[in-house]
């Protein structure tokens, strides 16, 4: 007698709406911004728990960064247990190691661990990239952008559809075209993103929505071609 909505997974049941996001598309966009902002053309990625969902973020980011001229994307996961989501100290250590290897922009897709990544990047005078929500304000002037997932909108819509008798079941794949993912711009990062960068990322967004550019989904084959 109940309707359910599940986030970040698909359950094939007649009373479940599965809200699945195209994190690879949003990550592709922030990868472009990372490569264009990078002076060394080396950028970093710090993931949380090593699971296919986080590899999906990583692969999209690598694709976007390399499309915009990055020569190297240094990639590390924090761990293989749920503790990897909430270890800011370890996140900071990994970010410092990547910065020592030449990365000057580091993207964190690691839950609470990412707070340490953004802190380490700011402390080193480099740039971080936030995830899920707009984290630009955590280290103002040192967070290039954030890859936002509009989980709030998807959940709100699920409740409203149920309230209005319009609840539908099955998978909802929410990407750029559906405004399910995107990148954050506000007063905290507007000085970091040049008009040229904004133009390039908006063009890429349009090309992904139109189908001209296809961003690989790691979870489709557990591989990343970039």
């Amino acid at each position: 007698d109940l309707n359910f909505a599940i986030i970040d997974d698909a359950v094939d049941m007649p009373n479940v709406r599965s809200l699945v996001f195209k994190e690879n598309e949003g990550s592709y966009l922030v990868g472009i911004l990372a490569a264009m902002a990078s002076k060394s053309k080396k950028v970093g990625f710090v993931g949380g728990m090593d699971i296919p969902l986080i590899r999906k973020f990583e692969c999209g980011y690598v694709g976007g960064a390399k499309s915009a001229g990055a020569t190297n994307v240094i990639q590390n996961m924090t761990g293989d247990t749920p503790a990897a989501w909430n270890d800011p100290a370890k996140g900071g250590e990994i970010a410092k190691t990547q910065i020592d290897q030449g990365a000057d922009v580091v993207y964190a897709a690691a839950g609470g661990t990412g707070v340490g990544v953004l802190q380490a990047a700011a402390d080193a005078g480099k740039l971080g990239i936030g995830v899920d929500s707009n984290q630009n304000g955590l280290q103002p002037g040192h967070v290039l952008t954030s890859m936002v997932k509009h989980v709030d909108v998807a959940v709100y819509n699920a409740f409203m559809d149920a309230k209005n008798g319009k609840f539908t079941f099955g998978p909802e794949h929410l990407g750029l075209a559906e405004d399910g993912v995107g990148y954050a711009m506000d007063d905290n990062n507007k000085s970091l993103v040049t008009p040229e960068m904004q133009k390039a990322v908006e063009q890429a967004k349009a090309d992904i929505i139109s189908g001209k550019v296809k961003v690989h989904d790691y979870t489709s084959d557990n591989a990343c071609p970039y």
Side-chain angles (χ1 to χ4, degrees), residues 22 25-26 29 174-183 204-205 208-209:
K22 298 179 183 178
E25 292 185 353
L29 296 187
L174 305 170
L176 291 173
E178 299 79 18
D179 198 28
V181 294
Y183 65 100
K205 179 179 178 180
I208 292 167
I209 291 172

Side-chain angles (χ1 to χ4, degrees), residues 189-206:
N189 72 328
K190 65 182 181 183
S191 65
L192 303 173
V193 179
T194 66
E196 180 192 12
M197 291 164 66
Q198 185 101 45
K199 183 179 177 184
V201 79
E202 284 298 317
Q203 183 62 58
K205 179 179 178 180

Side-chain angles (χ1 to χ4, degrees), residues 58-101:
E58 177 184 57
C59 185
Y61 177 69
V62 173
K66 290 193 171 177
S67 79
T71 57
N72 190 12
V73 184
I74 305 165
Q75 303 154 58
N76 296 103
M77 294 291 178
T78 304
D80 53 13
T81 70
W85 300 119
N86 197 27
D87 194 341
K90 189 166 183 184
E93 289 169 12
I94 295 171
K96 284 176 196 165
T97 300
Q98 293 187 351
I99 290 166
D100 288 345
Q101 293 174 57

Side-chain angles (χ1 to χ4, degrees), residues 13-94:
M13 296 289 283
N15 61 333
V16 179
R17 177 183 292 189
S18 299
L19 302 170
V20 183
F21 294 82
K22 298 179 183 178
E23 297 93 352
N24 49 317
E25 292 185 353
S27 296
Y28 190 94
L29 296 187
V30 302
I32 290 173
L33 291 174
M36 294 184 74
S38 173
K39 295 180 176 67
S40 66
K41 296 305 170 190
K42 294 179 182 178
V43 299
F45 175 88
V46 179
M49 187 177 174
D50 191 354
I51 54 175
L53 175 68
I54 299 303
R55 293 286 179 185
K56 189 176 175 186
F57 285 82
E58 177 184 57
C59 185
Y61 177 69
V62 173
K66 290 193 171 177
S67 79
T71 57
N72 190 12
V73 184
I74 305 165
Q75 303 154 58
N76 296 103
M77 294 291 178
T78 304
D80 53 13
T81 70
W85 300 119
N86 197 27
D87 194 341
K90 189 166 183 184
E93 289 169 12
I94 295 171

